[in-house]
């Protein structure tokens, strides 16, 4: 009887560890077992639940593939959900990219940066490149937006022009700087000059710096700069001497302004520094001519460099009365 009791007691002692061990694993999350034997995967990403396949998660050499093949340790809760300690806000977008190979990205720069961070964390390189390309496009669009500096002082203007590496086109537009009345067409021509300025900004944006000065002494005057110095100037205002009063007249020499804008491009990327650059800009071609009523002056600035000043119908001495009325000219 004692031998049987001893044998029974020994058998009970040896069986006790086998009973207690499974109870220990049931209360602890399963780790590093992989998902090789599974077809479907349940993911709990920061409280956001997703149901997908191992095939989808394994499409790219990413962190998600390493989770599926067991090379990365994961936590699986008691209900079989793979728990990832990450925000689930953009995880659905990551899954859709793995499913389709492409996905629409948010236009907001901050959200796009968040998607990029998630793609980098999960090491989904295809999505990373997709986000970087979208960011570059946004940057290009942002840089193409027109930025027109508003000059508030002469020192600010001089500093901007002197330090700018691009050619500069400046429009002085100060309608209030006039002690006379305007002629009938002057208001329309002022607006046309401003509209032309806006069109040139859109046409040559990125190649030329455009500056609008509303505090200058000139009512309407275009200035063209290259390599920090003034190359040409087109003054659009003139004084009309009538029989009883003086009037200020504003012209719109569109062709001349556009021509000077094209000429100033010779200084783009310092191309005007060469031996032929100055000659090309300062020499008038055979097809270039002044319009009716235009005069050209050249003032020395230093050495052989000169500023070409074009005055449109400068100091016209007549009034603009209708046909049949006497016109008075003054010397």
């Amino acid at each position: 009887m004692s031998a049987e009791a001893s044998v029974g007691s020994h058998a009970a002692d040896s069986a006790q560890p086998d009973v207690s061990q499974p109870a220990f694993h049931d209360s602890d999350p399963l780790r590093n077992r992989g998902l090789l034997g599974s077809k479907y995967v349940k993911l709990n990403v920061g409280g956001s639940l997703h149901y997908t396949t191992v095939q989808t998660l394994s499409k790219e050499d990413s962190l998600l593939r390493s989770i599926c093949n067991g090379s990365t340790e994961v936590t699986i809760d008691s209900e079989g959900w793979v728990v990832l300690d990450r925000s689930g806000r953009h995880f659905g977008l990551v899954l859709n990219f793995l499913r389709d190979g492409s996905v629409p990205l948010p236009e907001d720069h901050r959200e796009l940066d968040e998607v990029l961070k998630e793609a980098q964390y999960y090491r989904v390189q295809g999505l990373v490149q997709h986000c970087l390309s979208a960011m570059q496009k946004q940057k290009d669009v942002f840089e193409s937006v027109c930025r027109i500096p508003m000059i508030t002082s002469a020192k600010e203007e001089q500093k901007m022009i002197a330090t700018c590496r691009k050619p500069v086109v400046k429009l002085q537009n100060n309608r209030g700087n006039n002690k006379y009345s305007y002629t009938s067409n002057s208001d329309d021509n002022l607006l046309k000059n401003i509209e032309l300025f806006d069109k040139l900004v859109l046409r040559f944006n990125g190649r030329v710096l455009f500056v609008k000065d509303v505090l200058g002494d000139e009512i309407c005057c275009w200035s063209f700069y290259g390599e920090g110095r003034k190359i040409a100037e087109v003054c659009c205002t003139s004084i009309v001497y009538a029989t009883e009063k003086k009037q200020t007249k504003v012209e719109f020499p569109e062709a001349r302004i556009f021509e000077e804008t094209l000429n100033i491009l010779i200084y783009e990327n310092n191309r005007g520094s060469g031996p032929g650059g100055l000659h090309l800009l300062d020499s008038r071609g055979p097809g270039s001519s002044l319009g009716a009523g235009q005069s050209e002056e050249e003032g020395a600035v230093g050495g052989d460099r000169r500023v070409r000043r074009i005055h449109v119908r400068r100091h016209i001495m007549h009034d603009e009365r209708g046909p049949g009325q006497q016109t008075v000219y003054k010397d």
Side-chain angles (χ1 to χ4, degrees):
M1 295 292 294
S2 61
E4 292 177 358
S6 176
V7 172
S9 174
H10 179 71
D13 292 339
S14 61
Q16 184 176 358
D18 295 336
V19 174
S20 60
Q21 188 172 357
F24 173 78
H25 281 285
D26 287 339
S27 61
D28 187 50
L30 302 178
R31 292 178 177 270
N32 203 29
R33 290 192 177 184
L35 302 170
L36 291 177
S38 304
K39 182 178 180 181
Y40 299 99
V41 184
K42 298 188 297 182
L43 298 169
N44 183 346
V45 186
S48 178
L49 305 180
H50 300 271
Y51 193 73
T52 184
T53 64
V54 172
Q55 181 181 4
T56 297
L57 297 181
S58 303
K59 282 189 176 181
E60 287 203 16
D61 186 12
S62 63
L63 175 64
L64 298 173
R65 175 188 285 184
S66 65
I67 290 175
C68 293
N69 60 31
S71 58
T72 297
E73 181 179 286
V74 294
T75 300
I76 304 177
D77 64 12
S78 58
E79 296 180 359
W81 291 91
V82 177
V83 180
L84 300 178
D85 186 15
R86 198 72 182 173
S87 173
R89 181 180 181 184
H90 301 294
F91 188 76
L93 190 147
V94 176
L95 279 183
N96 287 334
F97 180 84
L98 292 174
R99 292 174 180 133
D100 304 328
S102 63
V103 69
L105 295 175
E107 296 182 359
D108 183 74
H109 182 76
R110 182 175 179 178
E111 290 191 10
L112 182 58
D113 186 63
E114 292 176 357
V115 174
L116 175 61
K117 293 293 190 300
E118 295 302 306
Q120 291 173 338
Y121 175 79
Y122 293 112
R123 301 199 297 271
V124 182
Q125 294 302 319
L127 183 57
V128 170
Q129 295 301 322
H130 192 29
C131 291
L132 293 177
S133 299
M135 286 183 170
Q136 184 61 42
K137 290 181 180 179
Q138 287 185 351
K139 183 179 179 181
D140 295 339
V141 171
F142 176 77
E143 289 180 349
S144 66
V145 173
C146 301
R147 296 187 293 272
I148 304 176
M150 299 297 290
I151 302 300
T152 59
S153 66
K155 290 184 178 179
E156 182 182 355
E157 174 190 325
Q158 294 171 2
K159 181 179 179 181
M160 179 180 296
I161 294 175
T163 57
C164 183
R165 297 182 180 181
K166 298 178 181 179
V168 180
V169 174
K170 183 183 73 173
L171 171 62
Q172 280 192 359
N173 178 34
N174 188 358
R175 190 183 187 283
N177 188 29
N178 178 34
K179 58 183 179 180
Y180 309 119
S181 61
Y182 286 100
T183 58
S184 58
N185 295 328
S186 293
D187 289 333
D188 291 339
N189 288 334
L190 275 172
L191 292 177
K192 289 179 181 179
N193 277 278
I194 296 173
E195 290 174 356
L196 177 60
F197 180 83
D198 295 338
K199 291 178 181 178
L200 293 176
V201 169
L202 296 175
R203 173 65 178 82
F204 298 104
N205 181 48
R207 302 178 63 185
V208 179
L209 173 64
F210 289 89
V211 180
K212 182 181 291 185
D213 184 355
V214 296
L215 300 177
D217 297 330
E218 297 287 347
I219 297 173
C220 185
C221 183
W222 295 77
S223 300
F224 305 86
Y225 298 84
E227 298 180 353
R229 69 181 186 88
K230 184 182 288 187
I231 303 300
E233 180 182 275
V234 177
C235 183
C236 302
T237 57
S238 59
I239 303 299
V240 175
Y241 294 87
T243 55
E244 298 177 356
K245 61 181 180 179
K246 298 178 181 179
Q247 288 184 304
T248 300
K249 185 174 184 178
V250 179
E251 296 285 351
F252 178 52
E254 180 179 11
R256 187 64 186 180
I257 295 168
F258 194 78
E259 179 184 355
E260 293 298 338
T261 304
L262 294 178
N263 285 341
I264 207 68
L265 292 178
I266 195 68
Y267 287 93
E268 186 180 11
N269 300 324
N270 297 323
R271 289 185 297 177
S273 302
L278 187 62
H279 174 73
L280 287 174
L281 192 62
D282 287 343
S283 299
R284 302 188 57 79
S288 178
S289 60
L290 291 172
Q294 297 183 0
S295 63
E296 179 174 339
E297 296 180 356
E298 292 184 346
V301 176
D304 294 330
R305 295 191 172 187
R306 295 169 294 181
V307 178
R308 186 169 56 258
R309 293 186 175 92
I310 297 92
H311 297 270
V312 182
R313 309 187 74 176
R314 186 184 185 190
H315 298 301
I316 302 174
M317 292 170 283
H318 68 86
D319 60 7
E320 295 183 339
R321 290 181 290 185
Q325 296 183 359
Q326 182 181 4
T327 302
V328 179
Y329 296 90
K330 295 184 178 182
D331 295 331

